[in-house]
Amino acid sequence: MTKPRIGLIGLGTMGRALALNIAENAEPLAVYNRTTAKTDDFIAHTKANEPALAERLTPAETLEGFVDALATPRAIILMVDAGDPVDKVIASLRPLLNDDDLIIDAGNANFHDTNRRAAAAVEQGVPFIGMGVSGGEEGARHGPAIMGGGPKEHWDRVSGMLEAIAAKYKGEPCATWMGTGGAGHFVKAVHNGIEYADMQMIAEVYGIFRDGMGHKAAQIGDTFAAWNDGVLQSYLVEISGKVAHATDPDTGEPMLDIILDAAGQKGTGRWTVIEAQVLASAIPVIEAAVFARNASSRVALRARGQDVFGAAPMTLPDGALDDATLEGAMIAGKIMCYAQGFELLHAASTHYDWSLPMPEVARVWREGCIIRSTMLNDMASALTEAPDDTLIFAPFFRDLIETHTPALRKTVATAMAHGLPVPALAAALNWFDMMRTARSTANMIQGQRDFFGAHGFERTDRDGKGFHGPWGSS
Ligand code: NDP
């Protein structure tokens, strides 16, 4: 029997799904997991449920056995927990490999770690790529979005296999090489940051329906389901409708009403915000979404706040907002959020000298990943026309913004007047208003800085820098 050339280490949720996807849609592979019982369970489960795929899996009990089971040159995918485990696996695996064997880290690595591992691999003269995989378990099994980074020649060695297992948008595979080093994992992190923001804006509108308008979960589910047939069509709006429709089997109550209001996170949204600060890039909608998750987890503090200060009135007067206004607010907010995400990618591309392929980023996100949506196809078209321009200036999105920003303004103003928290929607609107204000208020900041620190300023009426104000005499 010919040996497989692909191996996969890590048979957790994602690794199992990805292994079956590779076996089904690409080629046979060898699999290994640190805890052998998990390998045995995976093989037994696959034999019972998908026997044809089990035939294409070569399980190994030891790392040495796993390496021996592979034809050379090997390509080994790591799907283990991000961080230290990846370094540990690489450290024990690399001495067993040949110099031309490729290691692919497919977990959610911080791109700084990927940069470090890629640099170490170059120093050792061995191939390594870091690859962001999005779409959760379902995506990994039936077609994820794949964002690769590292030397292009190493990506090319496995791009055929990756395209075979990736999601397809109208037949086009959602798997693309983004650039050198940690470029793929950076794009994945921004994807996750945008995911946080999309989810938060949906949650804010849900809150307006629930607390401002007294709508029941199922009614809100109907509204989201209807929106999913329009401009807002997306996986996240679709599943939000399904979540709102679900009933708790234990109590018979709407599931949503039983779920504790404290959002979890694995940190990729936070990474996006940190990197935006490092690059001085404005992504306030994503920042607001990370803030909102952090605030949500302060359950006891929020309860104390309500005891001490009382809940905000929240209930809106009849007719203050309607479905169409809220839908418009979500459309405008979403465009502004994505414009910020792509601005961050731009800043990173320049700073790290990646030449990120902006239209390709939008294309890769059209299927398989959590933020997939119809609008991303329009974004891909806009970025193809003008890859370096801010999305809000693309004619298609400019029209949508002009149409729907009044709805966003009405929604934010009404919600805030009644104490309904809308941090992400408000951040979108504030960002937009700043972006269309030619004369900002930063002249006051510059005056203050010069007053206390003699930092100097530029003047509007003369060329040059380093002017100072008459502070000594004031
Ligand atoms: P799981 O917790 O299901 O599995 C973790 C895997 O990592 C297990 O196979 C575990 O082996 C292995 N592992 C952990 N530490 C070590 C170590 N020191 N040495 C060897 N193996 C180790 O995680 P997921 O499958 O959900 O996630 C895997 C990666 O994919 C993570 O980076 C995650 O962030 C990323 N990811 C997850 C997504 C999801 O929706 N779940 C989506 C996209 C990416 P053992 O069984 O021996 O403990």
Side-chain angles (χ1 to χ4, degrees):
M1 202 178 101
T2 51
K3 289 179 170 182
R5 66 178 191 121
I6 305 288
L8 185 143
I9 296 179
L11 296 172
T13 309
M14 289 294 282
R16 290 163 83 112
L18 203 66
L20 292 176
N21 184 353
I22 295 169
E24 182 169 63
N25 297 305
E27 53 193 283
L29 74 158
V31 292
Y32 169 79
N33 193 69
R34 176 181 60 173
T35 309
T36 308
K38 225 182 240 181
T39 311
D40 296 342
D41 175 72
F42 172 56
I43 297 296
H45 192 264
T46 309
K47 275 185 178 155
N49 296 294
E50 298 179 272
L53 295 189
E55 295 285 311
R56 288 163 72 83
L57 298 171
T58 305
E61 287 190 9
T62 63
L63 203 52
E64 291 77 7
F66 168 76
V67 169
D68 284 346
L70 291 167
T72 57
R74 305 171 178 93
I76 298 174
I77 299 171
L78 311 186
M79 203 31 129
V80 300
D81 289 331
D84 198 38
V86 176
D87 289 318
K88 285 196 169 125
V89 174
I90 292 175
S92 40
L93 183 61
R94 192 44 93 185
L96 306 174
L97 300 181
N98 298 331
D99 281 354
D100 58 352
D101 290 340
L102 170 64
I103 295 180
I104 304 163
D105 176 19
N108 261 340
N110 184 310
F111 90 104
H112 289 296
D113 285 340
T114 307
N115 274 344
R116 170 176 57 77
R117 291 173 189 133
V122 168
E123 204 164 290
Q124 295 162 36
V126 291
F128 172 83
I129 59 180
M131 174 174 105
V133 175
S134 176
E137 183 181 10
E138 181 69 12
R141 175 65 185 88
H142 298 291
I146 298 176
M147 295 143 261
K152 176 81 163 59
E153 66 268 26
H154 301 327
W155 169 263
D156 289 341
R157 275 172 61 175
V158 283
S159 59
M161 181 270 291
L162 295 172
E163 286 170 3
I165 64 166
K168 310 288 181 305
Y169 180 86
K170 297 187 176 162
E172 269 181 67
C174 296
T176 299
W177 179 74
M178 296 295 169
T180 55
H185 277 132
F186 188 91
V187 173
K188 172 73 203 300
V190 175
H191 163 283
N192 285 25
I194 292 173
E195 175 185 313
Y196 276 46
D198 264 343
M199 293 167 74
Q200 176 62 25
M201 287 188 283
I202 293 170
E204 289 174 12
V205 168
Y206 157 71
I208 294 172
F209 278 132
R210 185 190 68 182
D211 302 326
M213 298 161 77
H215 289 195
K216 300 286 178 219
Q219 188 182 356
I220 300 170
D222 290 345
T223 307
F224 286 160
W227 288 356
N228 197 44
D229 290 331
V231 179
L232 289 174
Q233 188 289 320
S234 63
Y235 173 70
L236 282 169
V237 168
E238 180 191 339
I239 65 162
S240 301
K242 290 180 177 168
V243 168
H245 275 134
T247 302
D248 175 28
D250 292 345
T251 61
E253 296 294 317
M255 193 71 247
L256 207 41
D257 293 349
I258 307 291
I259 299 175
L260 183 72
D261 54 329
Q265 56 180 312
K266 284 192 173 166
T268 41
R270 186 185 309 138
W271 291 347
T272 311
V273 171
I274 291 169
E275 295 314 322
Q277 295 300 331
V278 171
L279 296 167
S281 183
I283 55 161
V285 184
I286 299 173
E287 285 169 12
V290 174
F291 147 69
R293 283 205 194 188
N294 293 338
S296 80
S297 68
R298 310 287 303 270
V299 178
L301 190 71
R302 288 189 287 112
R304 184 173 162 217
Q306 182 162 329
D307 278 350
V308 173
F309 300 108
M314 289 193 176
T315 306
L316 300 178
D318 278 350
L321 289 173
D322 55 26
D323 287 10
T325 304
L326 291 168
E327 184 181 18
M330 289 261 293
I331 293 168
K334 184 173 172 119
I335 296 165
M336 292 167 191
C337 166
Y338 279 67
Q340 294 165 22
F342 279 102
E343 287 273 293
L344 171 58
L345 289 173
H346 250 293
S349 186
T350 307
H351 185 82
Y352 296 107
D353 202 15
W354 279 331
S355 305
L356 290 178
M358 295 302 165
E360 290 308 316
V361 173
R363 275 191 198 104
V364 134
W365 290 346
R366 288 179 305 185
E367 259 313 331
C369 65
I370 303 295
I371 63 171
R372 60 186 182 261
S373 70
T374 300
M375 211 186 265
L376 270 165
N377 193 40
D378 301 314
M379 290 180 185
S381 305
L383 290 163
T384 304
E385 289 291 310
D388 297 325
D389 205 2
T390 302
L391 266 181
I392 55 170
F393 298 119
F396 178 83
F397 290 106
R398 187 182 143 175
D399 284 353
L400 282 176
I401 289 219
E402 282 175 345
T403 304
H404 296 294
T405 297
L408 177 61
R409 191 174 304 288
K410 186 173 178 188
T411 298
V412 170
T414 307
M416 290 182 76
H418 293 82
L420 288 155
V422 284
L425 291 169
L429 184 62
N430 274 317
W431 174 84
F432 177 69
D433 282 337
M434 284 203 79
M435 287 306 138
R436 62 163 190 179
T437 300
R439 173 84 174 146
S440 80
T441 55
N443 48 322
M444 173 55 95
I445 307 288
Q446 287 300 82
Q448 292 161 342
R449 291 181 71 238
D450 190 55
F451 190 105
F452 65 69
H455 293 294
F457 50 77
E458 293 174 69
R459 297 178 60 108
T460 55
D461 59 350
R462 289 180 220 160
D463 289 338
K465 295 176 192 272
F467 294 100
H468 295 285
W471 320 127
S473 59
S474 49

